[in-house]
Amino acid sequence: MTASHLPEPAGAHRRPTIHDVARDAGVSKTSVSRYFGCERALLSGTMVKRIEAAIERLGFAPDRIASSLRGGRTGLIGMVVADMRNPYTVDMLHGAELACREHGYSLLVCNTDNDDRLERRHLDVLHGYSIEGLVINTPGGNVPTLVARREAGLPMVLVDRHIDGLACDMVGLDNEQAITLGVSHLVDQGYQRLLMITQPGAGISSRKARVRMFRHRAHEADLSAEVHEATEAALDPSRLAVTLEQWLQADEAPGAIVCANAMVTLNVCHALFKLYEAPFQHVGLLGIDDVPWCALVGPGITTVAQPVVDIGHGAIDMLMQRLGGTTGDPQATLFSAHLNPRGSTIIRSS
Amino acid sequence: MTASHLPEPAGAHRRPTIHDVARDAGVSKTSVSRYFGCERALLSGTMVKRIEAAIERLGFAPDRIASSLRGGRTGLIGMVVADMRNPYTVDMLHGAELACREHGYSLLVCNTDNDDRLERRHLDVLHGYSIEGLVINTPGGNVPTLVARREAGLPMVLVDRHIDGLACDMVGLDNEQAITLGVSHLVDQGYQRLLMITQPGAGISSRKARVRMFRHRAHEADLSAEVHEATEAALDPSRLAVTLEQWLQADEAPGAIVCANAMVTLNVCHALFKLYEAPFQHVGLLGIDDVPWCALVGPGITTVAQPVVDIGHGAIDMLMQRLGGTTGDPQATLFSAHLNPRGSTIIRSS
DNA sequence: AACGCCATTGGGAACGTTCCCATTTCAGGT
DNA sequence: ACCTGAAATGGGAACGTTCCCAATGGCGTT
């Protein structure tokens, strides 16, 4: 018998542990643990050198799973998004990833495809991993679960929208300012009637805010303002084209369409190109959310852009503050939009 | 003294453990553990009912961190991508997320922004979390680290490109077929000279394959074929415009531009719109990678589309096979592209 | 010379699971 | 009645860390 332990399979050797390092360096495992933790200052110079040498020799890397178990800190942040393919989500995720990296956290990303049951499942999984914080962009179908987690002490930041009955931090766009900016521009350009196309937003605060403010500002400027809520199906370009044509032919005065987000802008463009070869000679178009291709379509599509990367970054920043121990009432961080004027909001003589 | 343990803070109660459930149900913790694990069949009907009731009462959810420590299986898959903002990456990620969900795994997502040092750091972090598998889309700057992990037994799948000296599974596009499809289309449409714009691809197999095949097919069809490698800076629309104009004016024969990926297509479009009001009356354009806005620009941009979501899904599927114990030589799964013919590849009388 | 204190270091319990092995129970065959 | 073995259950070690507490040793103070 060579050893009292496992025969140790020939090829792959066992990952070294803090124990191995301790033995190799001739110190206690506690000291090695201190080397990695925040008690590094306790160690003497000789000790540090010996530990470092042993780590190098063995190629040791601490096991975060074991560390999480005893230490309680997993270093994991849960990120639950409603629609991974939405450009908004992508940029937000990018900002969040950046911020996590800065703070030494890692992101567990979950996509719910706007499905409440799936969201619920993802929340359970994240709970299983003992995430330290949650950033969530939710349609609002799992309020009880979220409230429970929040009250159990899980730091949580809502993105883009806040949810009634869920007292927690939130990061998003200053929708009032954004819509004011957009409508003022359209007024300045001389449009006399406006149509907003939006997705149905039963419980989604940001969508409701945009519609409310749109009506308000248009009314203030004495313009007629209509709002069309297009369900998933009604966003289909062909069906949308019918709606748009009706609205266009109802009145001779120059009109402009406002798209409530990038998804809507894309579909409205498709619809307009079905109707006209050069649609922007007949109607103005302003999109909320700027995406790279907006500058390429027709004479360029005017947009009101939100700083989405900053929003994602800001979400993590708020989380870090809570993790740092900040208590107190929920905060809302709202970012300002800016205008990208392009050719789609210039009135051509017809 | 009421108890020998902690005074138990008033508000938030401790998360229940398998122990609490066992006590409440009047069974052993082993049985509760069996309830969740794959030894469920060992339990009698009564036992199952009592455990279920206790779980319900306490709101217990197993701790995956503790489970990972002893059990060795973390349920975590690492996903390292070179550029999170690239539409390719987004769709791929979406497919991978979908597949992970099906198999009960969760994704730890890392973005490297094409930075080797950052990629290295992310790989270390993932190693710390004992991921069970790795899907990576790499510029190729950390071969030694990757080889080491692979040889230590970590299942690994490369996405989009394979790396010399790294023997591991790979999922991507059948570049030969894709380019053949694109070039044939251009030939059929009557173009007589071709220009491919690509990003520099020193170590990137997919880029090299596209260039090589482009040259080959063009030569076969007796067309002149030029390739322009645009560095990050040279992708700037203004500088690109100069390059394109030179090429256009060098010859009268009708020519078409092939863009090696969506990023390039976007910038080339910007450049063309700087040169002409209606660029596609002067030059043909074909893009590799289809993105939603391609149909909207000018008369629509013809594309060769890869099934990116399937590629992401496929990557996880391969990983699962390896996790299931499949051994043997590295496999490559290549998907076929399909053509979306649009207005940008129709020759207009000039 | 005895004392106390700070700076270092080490030993061992604990975190919440899973897994190995031992134990109990009971049916069925001799 | 006894033995055998399968089915069901429980006890305790182990996973690799962190953290509490105790121990050691050197040095300045009374």
Side-chain angles (χ1 to χ4, degrees):
Chain A
M1 249 173 273
T2 54
S4 62
H5 277 350
L6 330 163
E8 193 71 40
H13 18 176
R14 194 176 48 86
R15 178 174 176 159
T17 76
I18 216 173
H19 252 102
D20 301 320
V21 175
R23 182 159 20 84
D24 190 85
V27 303
S28 80
K29 61 186 161 44
T30 308
S31 296
V32 180
S33 172
R34 281 200 252 262
Y35 177 83
F36 288 101
C38 34
E39 292 172 295
R40 175 81 141 277
L42 287 182
L43 298 176
S44 69
T46 12
M47 192 64 62
V48 168
K49 281 207 201 81
R50 281 165 64 183
I51 296 178
E52 256 162 8
I55 288 172
E56 184 65 27
R57 263 194 301 277
L58 302 178
F60 170 78
D63 180 334
R64 301 215 51 168
I65 296 291
S67 154
S68 301
L69 180 57
R70 173 64 228 229
R73 303 207 19 204
T74 56
L76 256 23
I77 300 286
M79 176 101 206
V80 175
V81 299
D83 178 8
M84 168 123 251
R85 297 150 91 133
N86 193 315
Y88 178 92
T89 301
V90 175
D91 284 345
M92 197 266 288
L93 195 55
H94 182 238
E97 211 268 350
L98 210 71
C100 276
R101 185 193 306 168
E102 289 164 11
H103 291 101
Y105 281 80
S106 296
L107 271 185
L108 231 27
V109 178
C110 301
N111 179 32
T112 67
D113 278 330
N114 275 300
D115 177 339
D116 290 336
R117 297 173 61 86
L118 200 49
E119 181 179 81
R120 174 64 200 278
R121 266 226 302 277
H122 279 312
L123 288 173
D124 289 346
V125 170
L126 293 177
H127 179 59
Y129 282 108
S130 299
I131 51 170
E132 289 184 52
L134 176 67
V135 176
I136 182 168
N137 172 232
T138 173
N142 286 299
V143 180
T145 308
L146 291 173
V147 169
R149 297 272 185 277
R150 182 70 273 285
E151 286 178 350
L154 178 67
M156 194 180 290
V157 174
L158 293 171
V159 165
D160 181 65
R161 49 196 77 157
H162 52 76
I163 300 291
D164 287 345
L166 178 57
C168 93
D169 294 332
M170 182 261 190
V171 180
L173 178 68
D174 182 342
N175 288 294
E176 278 71 19
Q177 179 263 347
I179 292 293
T180 303
L181 193 62
V183 173
S184 308
H185 171 74
L186 294 175
V187 171
D188 291 349
Q189 296 295 101
Y191 290 100
Q192 289 166 33
R193 40 197 298 261
L194 305 181
L195 170 65
M196 174 178 255
I197 311 283
T198 176
Q199 290 176 295
I204 297 181
S205 69
S206 53
R207 291 190 188 158
K208 287 191 294 192
R210 289 177 195 180
V211 169
R212 184 165 21 83
M213 201 61 186
F214 170 74
R215 287 213 160 93
H216 178 64
R217 289 297 178 210
H219 180 256
E220 227 178 36
D222 246 345
L223 303 194
S224 89
E226 211 164 303
V227 174
H228 179 73
E229 253 197 19
T231 59
E232 182 91 26
L235 261 186
D236 172 79
S238 309
R239 297 187 49 183
L240 212 45
V242 177
T243 310
L244 296 180
E245 193 169 27
Q246 278 177 359
W247 181 77
L248 282 166
Q249 292 178 344
D251 194 327
E252 289 281 294
I257 301 171
V258 175
C259 301
N261 63 42
M263 222 63 153
V264 175
T265 306
L266 182 69
N267 287 292
V268 166
C269 281
H270 270 115
L272 288 175
F273 277 101
K274 277 183 186 293
L275 292 174
Y276 306 104
E277 187 135 340
F280 306 119
Q281 301 201 342
H282 303 83
V283 61
L285 185 71
L286 181 143
I288 297 182
D289 284 355
D290 191 63
V291 267
W293 51 267
C294 281
L296 290 177
V297 175
I301 298 171
T302 299
T303 59
V304 170
Q306 24 178 347
V308 197
V309 175
D310 296 342
I311 289 177
H313 199 291
I316 299 296
D317 288 341
M318 294 194 90
L319 222 46
M320 291 301 136
Q321 287 199 8
R322 293 297 180 185
L323 283 171
T326 305
T327 56
D329 289 345
Q331 306 278 318
T333 305
L334 297 183
F335 286 82
S336 295
H338 76 269
L339 183 76
N340 293 117
R342 299 200 181 97
S344 73
T345 51
I346 295 174
I347 298 185
R348 268 88 176 171
S349 55
S350 52
Chain B
M1 249 173 273
T2 53
S4 63
H5 276 350
L6 331 162
E8 192 73 41
H13 19 175
R14 195 175 48 87
R15 178 175 175 160
T17 76
I18 216 173
H19 251 103
D20 302 320
V21 175
R23 183 159 18 84
D24 189 86
V27 303
S28 79
K29 62 187 160 47
T30 307
S31 296
V32 180
S33 172
R34 282 200 252 262
Y35 177 83
F36 289 101
C38 34
E39 291 173 296
R40 176 81 140 278
L42 287 182
L43 298 176
S44 69
T46 11
M47 189 66 56
V48 168
K49 280 206 202 80
R50 281 166 64 184
I51 295 178
E52 256 162 8
I55 288 171
E56 184 67 26
R57 264 195 302 276
L58 301 179
F60 169 79
D63 180 335
R64 301 214 51 170
I65 296 291
S67 155
S68 301
L69 180 56
R70 174 64 229 229
R73 303 208 18 205
T74 56
L76 256 22
I77 300 285
M79 176 101 204
V80 175
V81 300
D83 178 8
M84 167 124 252
R85 298 150 92 134
N86 191 316
Y88 179 92
T89 302
V90 175
D91 284 346
M92 197 266 288
L93 195 55
H94 182 239
E97 212 270 350
L98 209 73
C100 277
R101 185 193 305 167
E102 289 164 11
H103 291 102
Y105 281 80
S106 296
L107 271 185
L108 230 28
V109 178
C110 301
N111 180 30
T112 67
D113 279 329
N114 276 301
D115 176 339
D116 290 335
R117 297 173 62 87
L118 199 50
E119 181 179 84
R120 174 64 200 278
R121 267 226 302 277
H122 279 312
L123 288 173
D124 288 346
V125 170
L126 294 176
H127 181 237
Y129 281 110
S130 299
I131 51 170
E132 290 184 52
L134 176 67
V135 177
I136 183 167
N137 173 232
T138 173
N142 286 298
V143 179
T145 308
L146 291 172
V147 168
R149 298 272 185 275
R150 183 69 273 285
E151 286 179 349
L154 178 69
M156 194 180 292
V157 175
L158 293 171
V159 165
D160 181 64
R161 50 195 77 156
H162 52 76
I163 301 289
D164 285 347
L166 179 57
C168 96
D169 292 334
M170 184 261 189
V171 180
L173 178 67
D174 182 341
N175 288 295
E176 277 72 19
Q177 178 264 347
I179 292 293
T180 303
L181 194 61
V183 173
S184 308
H185 171 74
L186 294 174
V187 171
D188 291 349
Q189 295 296 100
Y191 291 99
Q192 288 165 33
R193 41 196 296 262
L194 305 181
L195 170 64
M196 173 178 257
I197 312 282
T198 176
Q199 290 177 295
I204 298 181
S205 68
S206 54
R207 291 190 188 157
K208 287 190 295 189
R210 288 176 196 180
V211 168
R212 184 164 19 84
M213 203 59 185
F214 169 75
R215 287 212 161 95
H216 177 65
R217 289 298 178 209
H219 180 256
E220 227 177 36
D222 246 345
L223 303 194
S224 88
E226 213 165 302
V227 174
H228 179 72
E229 255 198 19
T231 59
E232 183 91 26
L235 261 186
D236 173 78
S238 309
R239 298 188 48 182
L240 212 45
V242 176
T243 310
L244 297 180
E245 195 169 25
Q246 277 176 359
W247 181 77
L248 282 166
Q249 292 175 347
D251 193 327
E252 288 281 295
I257 301 170
V258 176
C259 301
N261 63 43
M263 221 64 154
V264 173
T265 306
L266 182 70
N267 287 293
V268 166
C269 281
H270 271 114
L272 288 175
F273 277 101
K274 277 183 187 290
L275 292 175
Y276 306 103
E277 187 135 341
F280 306 117
Q281 301 201 343
H282 303 83
V283 61
L285 185 71
L286 180 143
I288 297 181
D289 283 354
D290 191 62
V291 267
W293 53 265
C294 281
L296 290 176
V297 175
I301 297 170
T302 298
T303 59
V304 170
Q306 28 177 343
V308 197
V309 175
D310 296 343
I311 289 176
H313 199 291
I316 299 296
D317 287 341
M318 292 194 90
L319 222 45
M320 292 301 137
Q321 287 199 9
R322 294 297 180 184
L323 283 171
T326 305
T327 56
D329 288 344
Q331 305 279 316
T333 307
L334 297 183
F335 288 82
S336 295
H338 75 269
L339 183 76
N340 294 117
R342 300 200 180 99
S344 72
T345 49
I346 295 175
I347 298 183
R348 268 91 175 169
S349 55
S350 52

